[in-house]
Short mmCIF file of all heavy atoms in Angstrom, two decimals:
data_model
loop_
_atom_site.label_atom_id
_atom_site.label_comp_id
_atom_site.label_asym_id
_atom_site.label_seq_id
_atom_site.Cartn_x
_atom_site.Cartn_y
_atom_site.Cartn_z
N PHE A 1361 73.85 98.88 122.55
CA PHE A 1361 74.33 97.52 122.78
C PHE A 1361 74.86 96.85 121.50
O PHE A 1361 75.77 96.04 121.56
CB PHE A 1361 73.21 96.66 123.38
CG PHE A 1361 72.95 96.94 124.82
CD1 PHE A 1361 71.85 97.70 125.20
CD2 PHE A 1361 73.80 96.47 125.81
CE1 PHE A 1361 71.60 97.98 126.53
CE2 PHE A 1361 73.56 96.74 127.15
CZ PHE A 1361 72.45 97.50 127.51
N GLU A 1362 74.28 97.20 120.34
CA GLU A 1362 74.59 96.47 119.12
C GLU A 1362 75.69 97.11 118.28
O GLU A 1362 76.49 96.39 117.67
CB GLU A 1362 73.32 96.34 118.27
CG GLU A 1362 72.23 95.50 118.92
CD GLU A 1362 72.63 94.05 119.06
OE1 GLU A 1362 73.47 93.57 118.28
OE2 GLU A 1362 72.09 93.39 119.98
N VAL A 1363 75.71 98.44 118.17
CA VAL A 1363 76.65 99.08 117.23
C VAL A 1363 77.55 100.10 117.92
O VAL A 1363 78.21 100.89 117.26
CB VAL A 1363 75.89 99.77 116.08
CG1 VAL A 1363 75.19 98.75 115.22
CG2 VAL A 1363 74.88 100.80 116.61
N HIS A 1364 77.61 100.12 119.24
CA HIS A 1364 78.52 101.03 119.94
C HIS A 1364 79.94 100.44 119.93
O HIS A 1364 80.09 99.23 120.04
CB HIS A 1364 78.04 101.23 121.38
CG HIS A 1364 78.73 102.32 122.11
ND1 HIS A 1364 79.85 102.09 122.89
CD2 HIS A 1364 78.49 103.65 122.17
CE1 HIS A 1364 80.26 103.23 123.41
NE2 HIS A 1364 79.46 104.19 122.99
N PRO A 1365 81.01 101.20 119.78
CA PRO A 1365 81.04 102.66 119.73
C PRO A 1365 80.67 103.19 118.35
O PRO A 1365 80.93 102.55 117.33
CB PRO A 1365 82.51 102.98 120.07
CG PRO A 1365 83.26 101.80 119.57
CD PRO A 1365 82.36 100.60 119.80
N TYR A 1366 80.07 104.37 118.33
CA TYR A 1366 79.68 104.99 117.08
C TYR A 1366 80.89 105.74 116.50
O TYR A 1366 81.65 106.35 117.22
CB TYR A 1366 78.53 105.98 117.31
CG TYR A 1366 77.48 105.49 118.26
CD1 TYR A 1366 77.15 106.21 119.40
CD2 TYR A 1366 76.83 104.28 118.04
CE1 TYR A 1366 76.20 105.77 120.29
CE2 TYR A 1366 75.87 103.82 118.93
CZ TYR A 1366 75.56 104.56 120.05
OH TYR A 1366 74.62 104.11 120.93
N SER A 1367 81.03 105.67 115.21
CA SER A 1367 82.16 106.33 114.56
C SER A 1367 81.69 107.03 113.30
O SER A 1367 80.93 106.46 112.51
CB SER A 1367 83.26 105.31 114.21
OG SER A 1367 84.29 105.92 113.47
N ARG A 1368 82.16 108.26 113.14
CA ARG A 1368 81.84 109.00 111.91
C ARG A 1368 82.69 108.53 110.75
O ARG A 1368 82.30 108.68 109.60
CB ARG A 1368 82.07 110.49 112.16
CG ARG A 1368 81.80 111.36 110.95
CD ARG A 1368 82.11 112.82 111.24
NE ARG A 1368 81.95 113.63 110.05
CZ ARG A 1368 82.25 114.92 109.98
NH1 ARG A 1368 82.71 115.55 111.05
NH2 ARG A 1368 82.10 115.59 108.86
N TRP A 1369 83.86 107.95 111.07
CA TRP A 1369 84.82 107.65 110.01
C TRP A 1369 84.99 106.15 109.76
O TRP A 1369 85.15 105.73 108.62
CB TRP A 1369 86.19 108.26 110.35
CG TRP A 1369 86.11 109.70 110.71
CD1 TRP A 1369 86.15 110.25 111.97
CD2 TRP A 1369 85.92 110.81 109.82
NE1 TRP A 1369 86.02 111.60 111.91
CE2 TRP A 1369 85.88 111.98 110.60
CE3 TRP A 1369 85.79 110.93 108.43
CZ2 TRP A 1369 85.72 113.25 110.05
CZ3 TRP A 1369 85.63 112.18 107.88
CH2 TRP A 1369 85.60 113.32 108.69
N ALA A 1370 85.02 105.35 110.81
CA ALA A 1370 85.34 103.93 110.67
C ALA A 1370 84.09 103.08 110.50
O ALA A 1370 83.08 103.31 111.16
CB ALA A 1370 86.13 103.44 111.89
N SER A 1371 84.17 102.10 109.60
CA SER A 1371 83.11 101.10 109.47
C SER A 1371 83.23 100.13 110.63
O SER A 1371 84.21 100.16 111.39
CB SER A 1371 83.26 100.37 108.13
OG SER A 1371 84.42 99.55 108.17
N PRO A 1372 82.26 99.22 110.81
CA PRO A 1372 82.41 98.22 111.88
C PRO A 1372 83.71 97.42 111.78
O PRO A 1372 84.33 97.14 112.81
CB PRO A 1372 81.18 97.33 111.68
CG PRO A 1372 80.15 98.25 111.11
CD PRO A 1372 80.91 99.17 110.20
N ALA A 1373 84.13 97.08 110.55
CA ALA A 1373 85.40 96.36 110.40
C ALA A 1373 86.57 97.23 110.82
O ALA A 1373 87.52 96.77 111.47
CB ALA A 1373 85.57 95.90 108.96
N GLY A 1374 86.52 98.52 110.45
CA GLY A 1374 87.57 99.43 110.86
C GLY A 1374 87.61 99.61 112.36
O GLY A 1374 88.69 99.73 112.96
N GLN A 1375 86.46 99.64 113.00
CA GLN A 1375 86.41 99.78 114.46
C GLN A 1375 87.03 98.57 115.15
O GLN A 1375 87.66 98.71 116.20
CB GLN A 1375 84.97 99.97 114.91
CG GLN A 1375 84.38 101.31 114.50
CD GLN A 1375 82.95 101.49 115.00
OE1 GLN A 1375 82.67 101.33 116.17
NE2 GLN A 1375 82.05 101.81 114.10
N ARG A 1376 86.85 97.39 114.57
CA ARG A 1376 87.46 96.20 115.18
C ARG A 1376 88.98 96.28 115.12
O ARG A 1376 89.67 95.91 116.08
CB ARG A 1376 86.94 94.94 114.48
CG ARG A 1376 85.52 94.56 114.87
CD ARG A 1376 85.23 93.12 114.53
NE ARG A 1376 85.26 92.91 113.09
CZ ARG A 1376 84.21 93.05 112.29
NH1 ARG A 1376 83.05 93.42 112.81
NH2 ARG A 1376 84.29 92.84 110.99
N LEU A 1377 89.51 96.75 113.99
CA LEU A 1377 90.97 96.91 113.89
C LEU A 1377 91.46 97.98 114.86
O LEU A 1377 92.51 97.85 115.47
CB LEU A 1377 91.36 97.28 112.45
CG LEU A 1377 91.35 96.14 111.43
CD1 LEU A 1377 91.76 96.66 110.07
CD2 LEU A 1377 92.27 95.01 111.87
N LEU A 1378 90.69 99.06 115.00
CA LEU A 1378 91.06 100.10 115.95
C LEU A 1378 91.05 99.58 117.38
O LEU A 1378 91.83 100.04 118.22
CB LEU A 1378 90.12 101.30 115.82
CG LEU A 1378 90.32 102.22 114.62
CD1 LEU A 1378 89.26 103.31 114.62
CD2 LEU A 1378 91.71 102.82 114.62
N GLY A 1379 90.15 98.62 117.66
CA GLY A 1379 90.10 98.06 119.00
C GLY A 1379 91.41 97.40 119.39
O GLY A 1379 91.85 97.51 120.54
N THR A 1380 92.06 96.74 118.46
CA THR A 1380 93.36 96.13 118.76
C THR A 1380 94.42 97.21 118.99
O THR A 1380 95.30 97.05 119.84
CB THR A 1380 93.80 95.21 117.62
OG1 THR A 1380 93.98 95.98 116.41
CG2 THR A 1380 92.75 94.14 117.36
N LEU A 1381 94.33 98.32 118.27
CA LEU A 1381 95.29 99.40 118.47
C LEU A 1381 95.08 100.09 119.81
O LEU A 1381 96.04 100.50 120.45
CB LEU A 1381 95.16 100.43 117.34
CG LEU A 1381 95.62 99.97 115.95
CD1 LEU A 1381 95.43 101.09 114.93
CD2 LEU A 1381 97.08 99.53 115.98
N HIS A 1382 93.83 100.23 120.23
CA HIS A 1382 93.55 100.82 121.54
C HIS A 1382 94.21 100.02 122.65
O HIS A 1382 94.74 100.58 123.61
CB HIS A 1382 92.04 100.89 121.79
CG HIS A 1382 91.40 102.10 121.20
ND1 HIS A 1382 91.49 103.33 121.80
CD2 HIS A 1382 90.65 102.28 120.08
CE1 HIS A 1382 90.84 104.23 121.08
NE2 HIS A 1382 90.32 103.61 120.04
N ARG A 1383 94.20 98.70 122.52
CA ARG A 1383 94.83 97.87 123.55
C ARG A 1383 96.35 97.99 123.50
O ARG A 1383 97.02 97.97 124.54
CB ARG A 1383 94.41 96.40 123.36
CG ARG A 1383 92.95 96.15 123.65
CD ARG A 1383 92.67 94.67 123.71
NE ARG A 1383 92.88 94.01 122.42
CZ ARG A 1383 91.93 93.87 121.51
NH1 ARG A 1383 90.72 94.36 121.73
NH2 ARG A 1383 92.18 93.25 120.37
N ASP A 1384 96.90 98.14 122.29
CA ASP A 1384 98.35 98.20 122.15
C ASP A 1384 98.92 99.57 122.44
O ASP A 1384 100.13 99.72 122.62
CB ASP A 1384 98.76 97.78 120.73
CG ASP A 1384 98.39 96.34 120.42
OD1 ASP A 1384 98.21 95.58 121.40
OD2 ASP A 1384 98.26 95.99 119.23
N ALA A 1385 98.05 100.61 122.46
CA ALA A 1385 98.54 101.97 122.62
C ALA A 1385 98.59 102.42 124.07
O ALA A 1385 98.84 103.59 124.35
CB ALA A 1385 97.64 102.93 121.83
N GLY A 1386 98.41 101.52 125.00
CA GLY A 1386 98.39 101.93 126.39
C GLY A 1386 99.76 102.28 126.94
O GLY A 1386 99.88 103.12 127.83
N ASP A 1387 100.81 101.68 126.42
CA ASP A 1387 102.15 101.90 126.95
C ASP A 1387 102.99 102.59 125.90
O ASP A 1387 103.32 102.01 124.88
CB ASP A 1387 102.78 100.56 127.35
CG ASP A 1387 104.18 100.74 127.91
OD1 ASP A 1387 104.49 101.88 128.34
OD2 ASP A 1387 104.94 99.75 127.93
N ALA A 1388 103.33 103.85 126.14
CA ALA A 1388 104.09 104.64 125.17
C ALA A 1388 105.59 104.42 125.39
O ALA A 1388 106.35 105.35 125.70
CB ALA A 1388 103.73 106.12 125.28
N ALA A 1389 106.04 103.17 125.29
CA ALA A 1389 107.43 102.86 125.57
C ALA A 1389 108.35 103.25 124.42
O ALA A 1389 109.53 103.50 124.62
CB ALA A 1389 107.57 101.36 125.87
N ASP A 1390 107.89 103.28 123.20
CA ASP A 1390 108.71 103.66 122.06
C ASP A 1390 107.96 104.66 121.21
O ASP A 1390 106.78 104.92 121.43
CB ASP A 1390 109.09 102.41 121.25
CG ASP A 1390 107.86 101.63 120.80
OD1 ASP A 1390 107.13 102.13 119.92
OD2 ASP A 1390 107.63 100.53 121.33
N ASP A 1391 108.67 105.21 120.22
CA ASP A 1391 108.10 106.27 119.41
C ASP A 1391 106.90 105.80 118.62
O ASP A 1391 105.89 106.51 118.50
CB ASP A 1391 109.17 106.84 118.47
CG ASP A 1391 108.77 108.17 117.87
OD1 ASP A 1391 108.55 109.12 118.64
OD2 ASP A 1391 108.65 108.25 116.63
N ARG A 1392 106.96 104.60 118.06
CA ARG A 1392 105.87 104.07 117.27
C ARG A 1392 104.61 103.90 118.13
O ARG A 1392 103.50 104.28 117.73
CB ARG A 1392 106.27 102.72 116.65
CG ARG A 1392 105.13 101.97 115.98
CD ARG A 1392 104.69 102.63 114.71
NE ARG A 1392 103.54 101.96 114.12
CZ ARG A 1392 103.02 102.28 112.95
NH1 ARG A 1392 103.53 103.26 112.24
NH2 ARG A 1392 101.97 101.63 112.48
N THR A 1393 104.78 103.34 119.33
CA THR A 1393 103.64 103.15 120.22
C THR A 1393 103.07 104.49 120.66
O THR A 1393 101.85 104.67 120.76
CB THR A 1393 104.05 102.33 121.45
OG1 THR A 1393 104.61 101.09 121.01
CG2 THR A 1393 102.86 102.05 122.34
N TYR A 1394 103.96 105.44 120.91
CA TYR A 1394 103.52 106.77 121.32
C TYR A 1394 102.67 107.42 120.23
O TYR A 1394 101.60 107.97 120.50
CB TYR A 1394 104.73 107.63 121.64
CG TYR A 1394 104.41 109.06 122.00
CD1 TYR A 1394 104.11 109.41 123.31
CD2 TYR A 1394 104.39 110.05 121.04
CE1 TYR A 1394 103.81 110.72 123.66
CE2 TYR A 1394 104.09 111.36 121.36
CZ TYR A 1394 103.81 111.69 122.67
OH TYR A 1394 103.50 112.98 122.99
#
């Protein structure tokens, strides 16, 4: 409940930034998004 998702590489701050990318990566409309 407190520290999920667990990551071997990303710190909690890094995981928060990755969370925004996960939301933006759902639509592979262009090469960058893909």
Side-chain angles (χ1 to χ4, degrees):
F1361 285 103
E1362 296 294 334
V1363 294
H1364 191 267
Y1366 319 123
S1367 174
R1368 178 183 176 185
W1369 309 103
S1371 70
Q1375 291 182 52
R1376 285 198 295 271
L1377 284 180
L1378 284 177
T1380 63
L1381 291 179
H1382 275 283
R1383 292 191 295 270
D1384 297 339
D1387 180 19
D1390 56 70
D1391 195 61
R1392 171 71 184 185
T1393 304
Y1394 177 87

